[in-house]
Structures are given as structure tokens and as C-alpha cells.
Amino acid sequence: MIYTGDMQPAIELILGKKTKGLSANSVSLLKQKWEAKYD
């Protein structure tokens, strides 16, 4: 499980160092939008 405080380092590991502007809230919002499009 990834906790909110661990989100930034996890995002950087997956997507690279240029992701400093992405927060847990941003990722959550994107996920909701992607799920809505998928449905």
C-alpha cells in the first residue's frame, strides 16, 4: 500500500524525476477521469 506521504517518491520511481508537480490529489483526480472515460 502507498500512503499519501509516499506518493511523490513512488511517482518519481515509476514516471521519472520530471513529475515533481504531481501530487497524490492530482493522481487521484486523473484516475477518476480515466475511469470515467473507460466506463
Side-chain angles (χ1 to χ4, degrees):
M1 173 169 269
I2 298 175
Y3 296 98
T4 304
D6 299 330
M7 191 62 127
Q8 186 60 42
I11 291 170
E12 285 183 16
L13 283 173
I14 295 167
L15 301 176
K17 295 282 183 188
K18 295 182 180 181
T19 60
K20 291 198 184 284
L22 285 177
S23 66
N25 289 338
S26 298
V27 172
S28 179
L29 230 162
L30 287 170
K31 184 179 173 232
Q32 288 174 0
K33 289 181 180 183
W34 293 334
E35 285 177 340
K37 284 184 180 182
Y38 181 77
D39 290 340

